[in-house]
Amino acid sequence: MNSELRLLHSYAHARAGDKGERLNVAVFVYDEDNYDWLLRELTEERVEALFSHRGIVRAKRYSMPNIFGVNIVIDDVLQGGVNGSLNLDGHGKTLSGLLLSMPVMPP
Amino acid sequence: MTVVVGCGAGFSGDRTDAAVPLVDALLRYDAPRALMFETLGERTLAAAQLARLKDSDGGDEPLLEAFLSPVLGECLRNDVAVLGNFGAANPEAARRRVAGLALRAGIDDACIAVIQGDDVREQMYALDWQPWEGERRSLPELKHVVAANVYLGADALVDALSQEAQVVITGRVADPALALAPLRHHHGWAYDDWDRIAAGTLAGHLIECGAQVTGGYFADPGFKDVHDMANLGYPIVEVERDGSLIVTKPLGTGGLVTEQTVKEQLLYEIHDPSAYVTPDVVLDLTSVEIRQVGRDRVSVKGVRGKPAPERLKTTISFLEGYQGEAEISYAGPNALARAKLARDTLRQRLASRCPADMKSRFDLIGVSSVFDGDSSVWRDISDGLSEDIRLRLAVEHAQRAVVELATQELLALYCCGPAGGGGVRRHHTRRLKTASYLVRRDQIKPRVSICQGRSAREQ
């Protein structure tokens, strides 16, 4: 990892939720001044790269400037959903942690 | 006028003592009050149907008495309406149980309503089905269907309250409807006053997961600290007639209500924030304003509503195949190398002994598990100093015997695997899966039935 890179976790908090095989991770900056930076760093392409090992096709990002957050929605990342997954975490509740492990250039 | 709603449970396995401080706090308001319990996740209803097959008096929420008995008497005596989807697959059984609890609390004339019409197993051929937007599966064959339930809206619950129900028991309803119903009832909002219905639905959405808005599912030490997590206060919403609302929690309880906790819950399980579809309204959250207005008090306003959808989401649960899980531990020097050797040996054994259509997955717990996908391509993790590794195997196949054979191969690692393997556990289950569809609203007929006192117990 480039020595200037940090984890997204240092600048943002997140919560994961699921419905069927669809996962959403809502991400919020701690410092509202970093919101534009978040939009530059947390792109759909980079989320897709981070989750590509789980066989996803695409990630959709919804911006919520009113609350300085974005909502990331990913289909089929749960590989069967809560009842059909072989993963210990069939809900994908831990995946907020995977998203926050994304390396970013500090704001 | 303010209407106040608290939420005493956010899922079927929630803390059963949370409602006590909540009801104490509700009783201090000089305003109409309600207490909701949300205990029905996507898969909970199917598990309840299976329980009902075994016991015709079962199939409601197993923790119903534990959730309700500490507070039911106080609620009934003080006009705190209680609404819960704890009827699950058997709302009538839940009514008998609630009536029994009321009698034990010395109240023999409790008015208890049951809402039905969500269970559509008997009508499946007659309904017009479309897949829900995130659904890839075709409709499962009827013989495998365990549960098929429509997410009902608040209409029937409002009816029940207007007939003076003190307790409203439902099966599947949209979770926020449990809060929207008392808000509509007391504020007199029309069903198509979309911005107000959106506000009431948002109020329910924010509290429906219990402590998730008051410091649960939130703490990250050093980044997001939460005090006294052992005594988290459960949420209360104070909702004005214009739809503006405040989220708070009982004084003296643990946890916190901040802009951060409210924002995280605002988007929880939401997809497009400009169009969150519920049976009662389509919510647009893109102009919501969230502001801390006091300690553990956060104001939320600005939600907009669009007309309710023509179709209602319906979740179908069905049995499909078997899952097996088995684990073994390796610890001490070179544990990771031994665990990897065990994994590779086991993979080789399964490849030669089990059918090619068996799905399998391997985790090295303590090194790499929940983030990985099901493929055998593991993310690069440096060896480090891991010294306590648990190898986990998970498999799925249509036949139970195949699944048992696979986990037995892990068991055999005791004698045939690397040095020092121990602590094997094996577990096999029938797989209960869910898929979601949309049905036409006009084909669904919610029903309210009201019983009072002893007759409710004998229904």
Side-chain angles (χ1 to χ4, degrees), chain A residues 27-29 31-33 35 38 64-70, chain B residues 263:
Chain A
V27 184
F28 306 91
V29 284
D31 179 348
E32 294 173 1
D33 291 340
Y35 187 62
L38 180 75
M64 291 283 282
N66 52 323
I67 52 172
F68 303 96
V70 300
Chain B
K263 284 199 256 185

Side-chain angles (χ1 to χ4, degrees), chain A residues 18-99:
Chain A
D18 69 298
K19 275 188 180 152
E21 312 222 353
R22 181 174 276 188
L23 176 81
N24 88 295
V25 186
V27 184
F28 306 91
V29 284
Y30 283 109
D31 179 348
E32 294 173 1
D33 291 340
N34 289 339
Y35 187 62
D36 290 335
W37 167 87
L38 180 75
L39 295 180
R40 286 196 302 276
E41 290 289 331
L42 190 59
T43 60
E44 292 177 346
E45 294 71 26
R46 297 190 65 195
V47 174
E48 285 160 10
L50 195 63
F51 285 85
S52 63
H53 65 287
R54 296 177 65 121
I56 68 152
V57 180
R58 77 167 302 234
K60 171 84 182 149
R61 187 187 80 180
Y62 298 93
S63 302
M64 291 283 282
N66 52 323
I67 52 172
F68 303 96
V70 300
N71 194 30
I72 306 285
V73 178
I74 315 173
D75 275 330
D76 298 327
V77 70
L78 300 175
Q79 300 189 296
V82 61
N83 302 308
S85 174
L86 293 179
N87 194 309
L88 271 173
D89 174 22
H91 292 98
K93 285 179 181 287
T94 59
L95 294 177
S96 52
L98 179 54
L99 198 68

Side-chain angles (χ1 to χ4, degrees), chain B residues 18 33 36 127 135-136 144 163 208 223 226 228 236 274 310 355 359 388 391 418:
Chain B
R33 303 160 291 207
M36 65 176 267
L127 297 176
E135 188 55 64
R136 305 268 190 283
H144 298 131
Q163 294 176 59
E208 77 189 31
F223 292 85
V226 177
D228 200 10
I236 293 170
S274 71
E310 285 306 306
K359 280 168 56 183
D388 187 339
L391 167 64

